[in-house]
Amino acid sequence: MLLLSLLLCAVQETAAPAAPALAIEHVTLVSMEREELLADRTVLVRDGRITALGPAAEVSVPAEARRIDGRDRFLMPGLADMHVHVWDENDLFLFVANGVTTVRNMFGDPLHLGWRRRIEAGELVGPRIYTAGPIIDGRPPVWPGSVELVEPDEAKNVVREQKAAGYDFLKPYAKLSAEAYEALAVAGEEQGLRLMGHVPGALTIHDVLEAGQHTIEHLDGWAEAAQPGGGIRQLGFELESAAWGTVDDAKLGALAKAMAERGTWNCPTLVVLQKWAKGAEAAALLARPEMRYVTPAMKGFWDPTSPQSYLSTMPDAALEAAHAAHAPKQRAVRLLRDAGAGLLLGTDMGNPFVVAGFSLHEELVNLAAAGLSPYEALRAGTRDAARCMGASDEWGTLAVGQRADMLLLTANPLADVRNAARRVGVVLHGRWFAEEELRAELEKRAHAFEAR
Ligand SMILES: [Zn+2]
């Protein structure tokens, strides 16, 4: 694709064993291990890892190191978008340009395994990718390309195939039967692949908690379980949105406690339904500055005036119900925080107007507006995201030995989550990308799209 030659140079330089070290000096460190700022630190990076970190006076910087002045700057871990649907290679760069250094991809395909190889080899600039295998659904599946699991006996084979292919986790979906789902949960447990996904229509949220599902996406299944008259069966999308209007908050609180006890994570993805729009509202979204960096093909899938867009046939009532569900979902997020349950920062990017990278900063604002402190909101996309993936000793915090995925900022992100977008540059697996380089590459892409 449209890689800047300077990006290629950076790749070749750091891929070579003799790559110069990188030193960020005299910076205020936001390690994310706890809510604290450590003044006047120097961080040393070599071969993609943090090799030293401490008071600036105590860290000796090798002569050959590239030095970056960190005075009056803040250094925090790179962000993770924990719910993405990335199908367009262009989006990989948009993540990086927004400080998103890790993504969890929720509908996997060999395409993603190929990108992951190229990214790790330094041939492609993109975030570290965790990916589900193809969605596992009943028959007929909701989405083409899903794996159909009908016979419970087949679950073992489905898991074996996805594991052998290199996928990281399993994504159960809406039309699985209860028997098929249970068999999948058992097979996943036996073979070490976790279930992360939706609540199938044949089950309740309590069933999936019982089965040990590791994450629940979009607060799926919550509204049904929290109805005042007692739990009701899983609803289709529009009715589910409407059901959020009548939830009993005491029941939401009890669910949040159950999640905390079970160690179940929730990825609320509030931003995706905020973007459901038609008419003038959709036109305003399409006119936003970041839309210049989205490929024309993608915009074609989003624009509700195009028949390719799922918004084109969406009834207005569904849009209104989705927007009305925002406030009760925010209450659920706050209750999860109060209960000490695991929360993940994620967007459902790839859906209309949810632009790679840019949207993650909107979701940070959503989590803060729900009542999380800036530290808590940022943790959902750094330290806790890594914990959820069983990778706490690999990424998500700044410490010696961690992968060097970092954001250098002009303002304190613990004072306001919006400051996480005020970048001086991004360190991606040890490579430094100055903000000007990132912006220049974005502009180059925008001009190429405009010329089409
Ligand atoms: Zn999704």
Side-chain angles (χ1 to χ4, degrees):
M1 289 274 293
L2 303 152
L3 274 178
L4 267 185
S5 56
L6 65 96
L7 296 183
L8 284 168
C9 284
V11 168
Q12 282 152 7
E13 270 170 30
T14 49
L22 180 69
I24 300 173
E25 300 178 285
H26 304 288
V27 75
T28 299
L29 196 78
V30 187
S31 76
M32 292 306 292
E33 283 182 339
R34 58 195 69 81
E35 187 171 4
E36 68 177 7
L37 298 174
L38 298 169
D40 199 29
R41 267 23 191 199
T42 287
V43 177
L44 207 60
V45 170
R46 196 189 283 277
D47 298 329
R49 300 265 159 189
I50 297 174
T51 52
L53 179 161
E58 293 171 19
V59 176
S60 60
V61 175
E64 80 278 11
R66 174 171 187 176
R67 290 163 177 261
I68 290 166
D69 186 3
R71 271 170 297 190
D72 300 321
R73 313 279 197 226
F74 296 80
L75 189 70
M76 67 168 283
L79 293 166
D81 188 335
M82 293 298 281
H83 192 123
V84 306
H85 295 279
V86 54
W87 295 103
D88 189 327
E89 196 170 299
N90 179 62
D91 287 333
L92 298 173
F93 184 78
L94 300 196
F95 285 125
V96 175
N98 281 280
V100 179
T101 53
T102 301
V103 298
R104 185 177 60 134
N105 181 60
M106 298 306 290
F107 192 156
D109 178 273
L111 175 73
H112 303 107
L113 300 172
W115 282 343
R116 175 157 69 191
R117 271 193 299 277
R118 288 168 59 206
I119 289 168
E120 291 300 317
E123 295 163 13
L124 178 64
V125 175
R128 139 189 303 233
I129 298 174
Y130 289 99
T131 184
I135 280 178
I136 302 168
D137 207 350
R139 182 176 296 154
V142 177
W143 302 100
S146 301
V147 169
E148 294 177 19
L149 174 63
V150 178
E151 296 301 326
D153 294 350
E154 278 300 304
K156 277 194 171 92
N157 287 335
V158 167
V159 176
R160 196 174 300 125
E161 278 168 22
Q162 293 207 354
K163 186 173 181 172
Y167 297 113
D168 302 303
F169 59 94
L170 309 166
K171 186 172 185 191
Y173 215 72
K175 288 164 87 174
L176 281 172
S177 70
E179 296 73 24
Y181 177 88
E182 301 294 346
L184 187 68
V186 170
E189 170 105 51
E190 281 169 2
Q191 299 183 49
L193 286 198
R194 285 169 147 158
L195 269 58
M196 306 196 191
H198 288 223
V199 177
L203 295 117
T204 69
I205 200 162
H206 297 289
D207 297 328
V208 306
L209 282 177
E210 198 64 32
Q213 183 161 318
H214 192 54
T215 74
I216 292 173
E217 308 302 316
H218 326 296
L219 301 174
D220 201 21
W222 278 68
E224 291 89 340
Q227 292 305 305
I232 52 172
R233 60 181 293 273
Q234 291 289 100
L235 300 169
F237 180 78
E238 200 173 330
L239 290 171
E240 185 202 342
S241 288
W244 275 101
T246 54
V247 288
D248 174 346
D249 279 25
K251 290 194 170 176
L252 290 180
L255 260 178
K257 284 203 182 71
M259 302 282 174
E261 278 160 23
R262 277 267 168 197
T264 312
W265 295 81
N266 276 269
C267 186
T269 69
L270 299 175
V271 69
V272 64
L273 296 187
Q274 275 179 320
K275 302 280 184 188
W276 275 13
K278 286 198 204 178
E281 207 188 329
L285 288 172
L286 280 169
R288 286 172 63 138
E290 66 266 30
M291 290 295 163
R292 296 179 58 232
Y293 313 126
V294 177
T295 59
M298 189 77 107
K299 279 188 275 198
F301 283 113
W302 292 356
D303 185 347
T305 63
S306 135
Q308 288 176 305
S309 169
Y310 68 66
L311 292 173
S312 66
T313 54
M314 183 87 70
D316 289 348
L319 269 62
E320 282 159 27
H323 293 162
H326 186 75
K329 285 181 181 174
Q330 283 186 308
R331 298 204 301 275
V333 168
R334 194 188 176 111
L335 288 163
L336 281 164
R337 188 280 308 270
D338 293 348
L343 277 165
L344 298 170
L345 179 69
T347 60
D348 216 356
M349 152 282 154
N351 279 283
F353 314 122
V354 186
V355 181
F358 294 89
S359 58
L360 198 64
H361 294 276
E362 296 179 80
E363 187 68 4
L364 276 172
V365 171
N366 280 334
L367 295 187
L372 273 63
S373 70
Y375 175 68
E376 290 165 337
L378 292 165
R379 217 175 59 191
T382 54
R383 191 194 85 170
D384 288 357
R387 261 179 66 207
C388 173
M389 301 312 291
S392 295
D393 55 358
E394 181 67 16
W395 59 277
T397 56
L398 300 185
V400 171
Q402 294 289 75
R403 201 173 126 115
D405 291 330
M406 311 188 284
L407 312 182
L408 188 62
L409 307 170
T410 60
N412 176 10
L414 300 184
D416 184 340
V417 292
R418 288 172 185 85
N419 292 341
R422 298 174 71 179
R423 282 173 305 276
V424 179
V426 174
V427 181
L428 177 71
H429 205 178
R431 292 175 219 154
W432 170 250
F433 293 93
E435 185 67 9
E436 308 83 75
E437 294 169 35
L438 296 170
R439 292 283 139 193
E441 174 65 15
L442 285 177
E443 283 313 305
K444 192 178 166 184
R445 288 171 185 230
H447 288 130
F449 298 151
E450 281 152 16
R452 276 189 201 172

